[in-house]
Amino acid sequence: MAAVGSGGSTAAAAPGAVSAGALEPGTASVGETGRGRAGGGAHRRLKYISLAVLVVQNASLILSIRYARTLPGDRFFATTAVVMAEVLKGLTCLLLLFAQKRGNVKHLALFLHEAVLVRYVDTLKLAVPSLIYTLQNNLQYVAISNLPAATFQVTYQLKILTTALFSVLMLNRSLSRLQWASLLLLFTGVAIVQAQQAGGGGPRPLDQNPGAGLVAVVASCLSSGFAGVYFEKILKGSSGSVWLRNLQLGLFGTALGLVGLWWAEGTAVARRGFFFGYTPAVWGVVLNQAFGGLLVAVVVKYADNILKGFATSLSILLSTVASIRLFGFHVDPLFALGAGLVIGAVYLYSLPRGAAKATASASASGPCTHQQPPGQPPPPKLSSHHGDLSTEPFLPKSVLVK
């Protein structure tokens, strides 16, 4: 999980670079200060770029799936799209590992033999999360095919709740009062949106089943929360690059996706063909799933938790506006209220755990310089990845080293 950092705290620093917070106040030279200012400007630009990437990828995937699944004409098999995304993602990671080995096939073969076969226990550990992720991908197609894109985007934020609960149960994590309150707010907002949907918010195509969509999205959120926490639990302390983990997950994902294809739609695929119903829009969905998540894995280390929460909020707004224009989605006061509660809950949950306490302490004690008493060591810095449940509140599973 080294590729996922919150504010750069857990991402490995580049050679010769100084990570944020590495220098104590007063220790930087004049030259270092100048370089730090230049680096700070570059870091801010990277944060804005990462924000744009997160918003666009998060919203475009849902909108593109909805668009491809509601087009008139032959409908493609969702199981084949899941398999193709895994294949393309695995091949991309293989090429990236090949480039890391400077194009040396022998070195790549030896590396993969050591990482995949010799360390087979670590490889087999990925089978369970890969199975869950494959199930989750198929459930997302079912959910988006039966729910408006904006409704799905709001409801899918329940994965924050499921991830938090599984983290408390499986990793013995603790939540602050603010985080518990935000989770309650999140659940309330989703419930309001679903009540609006059940009440018949706008016209609905005859071939869509909102009940099936709700069951699929809830099951997807449960699988997402469990897989992410399980992934962290079994691989904590293990080595391996983000591309190697993605390649291993891609291998399992492809095999398990083919099994799911055979079980669910094998007869129909054999009769009509693997690429039946594929259009440029469908290929756009497959490419977005395959490469969008990998792109997020690259830029996410430049985004802190607040930026991730802000990106989620913007994605909900973007999906809603696009749904109005593309699909004739109707926003009524009930949906606006529920979506507003979810956006607020995501923001509150993404706040650093010490923010509320620091604010309260500053208000009670008045202005202070926060200087360390002489002879006292500085307080230890908490890892924002392993100690904060909001590290992965909304990103696709590919960022979890998939």
Side-chain angles (χ1 to χ4, degrees), residues 118-151:
V118 176
R119 302 178 183 176
Y120 66 92
V121 175
D122 279 348
T123 301
L124 291 176
K125 287 179 180 179
L126 297 172
V128 173
S130 183
L131 171 62
I132 299 174
Y133 288 145
T134 303
L135 173 64
Q136 180 187 352
N137 282 331
N138 285 283
L139 287 172
Q140 285 182 353
Y141 276 99
V142 175
I144 299 175
S145 299
N146 290 282
L147 291 174
T151 302

Side-chain angles (χ1 to χ4, degrees), residues 308-354:
K308 294 174 188 177
F310 189 51
T312 302
S313 302
L314 288 179
S315 299
I316 293 175
L317 294 175
L318 180 59
S319 297
T320 302
V321 173
S323 295
I324 295 173
R325 298 296 301 272
L326 295 175
F327 311 118
F329 182 71
H330 174 68
V331 177
D332 60 15
L334 204 58
F335 178 88
L337 174 60
L341 290 177
V342 169
I343 291 174
V346 170
Y347 174 76
L348 291 176
Y349 189 83
S350 65
L351 289 175
R353 291 194 63 172

Side-chain angles (χ1 to χ4, degrees), residues 351-372:
L351 289 175
R353 291 194 63 172
K357 293 181 180 179
T359 302
S361 176
S363 301
S365 60
C368 63
T369 59
H370 299 284
Q371 293 180 349
Q372 189 69 23

Side-chain angles (χ1 to χ4, degrees), residues 371-387:
Q371 293 180 349
Q372 189 69 23
Q376 294 282 343
K381 293 181 180 180
L382 297 178
S383 168
S384 60
H385 179 63
H386 292 296

Side-chain angles (χ1 to χ4, degrees), residues 34-59:
R35 288 193 296 271
R37 289 174 179 173
H43 186 71
R44 280 194 297 272
R45 287 193 294 272
L46 287 172
K47 288 184 68 173
Y48 291 136
I49 292 173
S50 66
L51 172 64
V53 171
L54 293 174
V55 171
V56 171
Q57 201 278 336
N58 202 23

Side-chain angles (χ1 to χ4, degrees), residues 211-257:
L214 176 60
V215 172
V217 72
V218 170
S220 182
C221 290
L222 287 170
S223 62
S224 174
F226 176 79
V229 174
Y230 178 84
F231 197 100
E232 179 177 350
K233 185 178 179 67
I234 65 172
L235 290 182
K236 185 176 292 185
S238 64
S239 60
S241 70
V242 63
W243 309 127
L244 172 62
R245 294 306 184 202
N246 274 281
L247 175 60
Q248 291 171 313
L249 285 170
L251 292 174
F252 281 115
T254 300
L256 294 170

Side-chain angles (χ1 to χ4, degrees), residues 234-324:
I234 65 172
L235 290 182
K236 185 176 292 185
S238 64
S239 60
S241 70
V242 63
W243 309 127
L244 172 62
R245 294 306 184 202
N246 274 281
L247 175 60
Q248 291 171 313
L249 285 170
L251 292 174
F252 281 115
T254 300
L256 294 170
L258 287 172
V259 172
L261 183 155
W262 171 79
W263 181 76
E265 300 173 320
T267 304
V269 171
R271 184 175 70 252
R272 297 188 174 184
F274 188 91
F275 296 107
F276 174 79
Y278 272 56
T279 63
V282 177
W283 280 111
V285 170
V286 172
L287 294 175
N288 195 338
Q289 275 196 316
F291 302 127
L294 293 177
L295 180 61
V296 169
V298 174
V299 305
V300 72
K301 61 182 177 181
Y302 301 108
D304 55 27
N305 291 332
I306 295 178
L307 192 67
K308 294 174 188 177
F310 189 51
T312 302
S313 302
L314 288 179
S315 299
I316 293 175
L317 294 175
L318 180 59
S319 297
T320 302
V321 173
S323 295
I324 295 173

